[in-house]
Amino acid sequence: QVQLVESGGRLVQAGGSLRLSCAASGRTFSRNAMGWFRQAPGKEREFVATISWDGSTNAYADSVKGRFTISRDNAKNTVYLQMNSLKPEDTAVYYCAAAPGRFALSRQNDYNYWGQGTQVTVSS
């Protein structure tokens, strides 16, 4: 199985940037599509971004499109989320997730492994 550990979350001012990392362990990481989700206080977990097994295909939620970029480095078993032009509404716990297949969509059920989350707080 795959184990995921997120890091990089912190307090940042609106308009600033932040990069989250997700370190994965497991022999099949390079064959897994990966995703980022987030959960704001009092709200349900929502899709943020996904990336195919080889990084060739990315998809984003409309709320973050043009501001966030997902990437991966299979040699380091790590997936990243670069967040630019941050807004207070981006405040949430961000979760890394791995899918069984090489491609995944925005559905939470596409993913079967989840990290513990990292807190991102954006101040105005």
Side-chain angles (χ1 to χ4, degrees), residues 68-88:
F68 290 11
T69 302
I70 188 171
S71 62
R72 66 190 297 163
D73 186 340
N74 287 350
K76 296 182 177 181
N77 291 338
T78 303
V79 62
Y80 306 96
L81 184 68
Q82 177 66 47
M83 304 183 293
N84 299 326
S85 301
L86 284 163
K87 306 174 181 179

Side-chain angles (χ1 to χ4, degrees), residues 2-6 22 24 29 32-37 45 47 49-51 70 72 79 94-100 104-105 107-117:
V2 178
Q3 293 182 325
L4 307 172
V5 180
E6 304 95 334
C22 174
F29 171 78
N32 291 105
M34 302 291 294
W36 285 97
F37 292 77
R45 185 179 295 176
F47 168 76
T50 186
I51 186 168
I70 188 171
R72 66 190 297 163
V79 62
Y94 283 72
Y95 296 91
C96 177
L105 300 176
R107 298 168 299 189
Q108 294 187 39
N109 287 343
D110 288 346
Y111 303 84
N112 59 348
Y113 296 103
W114 295 82
Q116 299 299 310

